[in-house]
Amino acid sequence: MSIQPTQPVLPTVSQEFIQEWLDALHGYCPASQVDDFLTRTGLNALAGQGRGRVTHDQIVRLYHIVAVETGDEMMGLWSRTIRHGALKLLCCSVLGASSLAAAMHRFATFWNLLLDDHSLRLSEGRQTLRLHLEPSSDAQISPFGHVLLLKLAHGVASWLVRRELPLTRVGFTFVRPDFAADYPVLFPAPIQFDQSTSSISFVKSLGDLPISASEADMQPFLQRAPRDWIFTSFREHALPLQLREMLLLSDRMGSTLNDAALALNITPRTLIRQLKAEGTSFQAIKDGLRCDLAMRDLASPKNIEAISQDVGFASPASFHRAFRGWTGETPGQFRRRVRG
């Protein structure tokens, strides 16, 4: 029996991916307030585990709570508070642009009025339109802040033209983290670390696209924030996400690395090398998908034996061991927590 999900199986991210955000909150808010944020989003159960997985819904919920209750729409990640209403004003500004390139210039100008120790710059090459985020020489770099601002730029650009825009390259000034395999969940492009600036790049011709979003589209976009701009829906532009889709369509995760290489028309050795360059492996991608499927199904009445079979385990005992290794909890503990 093939796994045929009735709802999207969205990739989770590691707890480490949002840890810097949580650390920034501890420096920005009283400890009791941060504890309240984590309790209301279910993230308190992951405290101290180091192996937990964080869902899209938890990140979106945390963003909503923190942005409203701290009055900072960038949640303490920058040296200056980004007050409530800034993102609405940003959207109003870019809507009036004559083209996508002009809108990205306005995006950069807007943030340059707000940020003290970073600047945004739009550059045009022969084939590339690139938005750079450049820290000043004495700036304290916030990796999650860089991620969030570049994702906002990509999300706003995609919203303006009513389709998710492909990126040709993403770069970050900070060194590759241990959880680099989480980055394709946000950015549908090759990702490089330890660069001179943080940046996102588009094919230059996309800059000529007209703005098709309207003022009527703005409120729904802002109300759903950051769901519409922080996570990518692309699969074809990021190799790990392509492989997730391939595994999802296979019979009980039956696709092998050789099957995947054949489908991609490359050798298994080349596939291994490409995945290693992205900080992951075929087995890590398979285990990540298994974990995401299991977490989704454990929130339903489906019995654990059926879940273990559907995600490709020969026995519930093997599934229990693997799930505990992925999340630090047994399937039963996870189920009780998420279902109350």
Side-chain angles (χ1 to χ4, degrees):
M1 181 181 71
S2 298
I3 298 172
Q4 296 294 337
T6 58
Q7 54 182 301
V9 184
L10 300 173
T12 56
V13 296
S14 64
Q15 181 186 346
E16 293 90 339
F17 188 86
I18 67 163
Q19 190 59 50
E20 192 222 356
W21 178 15
L22 300 183
D23 291 342
L25 288 179
H26 278 287
Y28 192 68
C29 307
S32 58
Q33 188 178 26
V34 177
D35 289 343
D36 179 58
F37 295 156
L38 300 183
T39 298
R40 288 155 66 187
T41 55
L43 290 169
N44 59 323
L46 301 180
Q49 284 188 24
R51 291 178 291 176
R53 304 296 300 177
V54 181
T55 67
H56 290 206
D57 286 343
Q58 286 176 308
I59 290 176
V60 170
R61 177 67 174 151
L62 183 61
Y63 177 91
H64 286 167
I65 293 172
V66 174
V68 170
E69 297 189 17
T70 65
D72 186 345
E73 292 190 331
M74 294 300 272
M75 302 161 299
L77 291 165
W78 301 98
S79 59
R80 175 183 290 188
T81 297
I82 307 301
R83 299 191 184 281
H84 181 69
L87 297 185
K88 182 176 181 178
L89 187 60
L90 169 65
C91 289
C92 289
S93 172
V94 296
L95 270 175
S98 58
S99 66
L100 182 62
M104 287 295 94
H105 177 73
R106 292 188 183 192
F107 183 97
T109 301
F110 179 90
W111 284 105
N112 287 337
L113 293 172
L114 295 183
L115 300 179
D116 290 328
D117 47 10
H118 287 71
S119 62
L120 279 167
R121 175 173 58 87
L122 190 68
S123 68
E124 293 189 30
R126 288 196 302 174
Q127 298 180 326
T128 302
L129 186 67
R130 180 171 296 165
L131 184 68
H132 303 261
L133 176 61
E134 301 175 323
S136 62
S137 58
D138 57 348
Q140 183 174 355
I141 293 175
S142 163
F144 196 82
H146 282 216
V147 167
L148 195 63
L149 192 55
L150 291 184
K151 269 310 303 181
L152 178 61
H154 182 222
V156 167
S158 299
W159 167 66
L160 287 172
V161 298
R162 296 180 182 272
R163 63 185 176 91
E164 187 176 357
L165 292 172
L167 297 172
T168 57
R169 178 183 173 275
V170 178
F172 292 107
T173 56
F174 46 90
V175 298
R176 177 187 291 272
D178 293 338
F179 48 87
D182 288 330
Y183 276 72
V185 177
L186 281 75
F187 294 100
I191 299 165
Q192 297 176 314
F193 297 91
D194 205 17
Q195 302 296 297
S196 58
T197 65
S198 294
S199 65
I200 54 172
S201 301
F202 305 89
V203 172
K204 185 178 179 180
S205 59
L206 293 177
D208 296 329
L209 289 174
I211 304 305
S212 53
S214 68
E215 210 170 309
D217 299 321
M218 184 170 62
Q219 194 60 28
F221 177 71
L222 292 171
Q223 287 175 341
R224 290 191 297 266
R227 190 180 300 276
D228 284 0
W229 49 264
I230 200 169
F231 304 111
T232 183
S233 61
F234 271 134
R235 296 298 177 264
E236 67 270 26
H237 291 281
L239 180 58
L241 296 183
Q242 287 186 64
L243 295 178
R244 275 181 63 99
E245 295 295 298
M246 194 179 300
L247 285 162
L248 188 60
L249 295 174
S250 69
D251 187 40
R252 293 184 179 175
M253 305 292 162
S255 285
T256 65
L257 184 141
N258 287 343
D259 295 332
L262 183 63
L264 294 169
N265 198 31
I266 57 178
T267 67
R269 183 172 294 181
T270 297
L271 179 55
I272 291 170
R273 186 173 65 251
Q274 290 179 356
L275 290 173
K276 184 177 181 180
E278 298 201 30
T280 189
S281 67
F282 184 80
Q283 189 62 48
I285 292 166
K286 177 182 272 192
D287 286 344
L289 177 57
R290 283 170 156 176
C291 180
D292 293 341
L293 281 166
M295 289 173 67
R296 183 201 67 181
D297 289 346
L298 284 167
S300 75
K302 192 172 184 179
N303 71 66
I304 291 177
E305 183 174 0
I307 294 172
S308 68
Q309 290 176 352
D310 281 350
V311 298
F313 285 92
S315 70
S318 298
F319 170 60
H320 274 70
R321 285 193 298 272
F323 191 83
R324 185 159 198 162
W326 297 330
T327 68
E329 297 178 282
T330 67
Q333 289 170 332
F334 178 85
R335 168 166 276 175
R336 287 190 293 273
R337 176 167 64 81
V338 299
R339 297 180 67 185

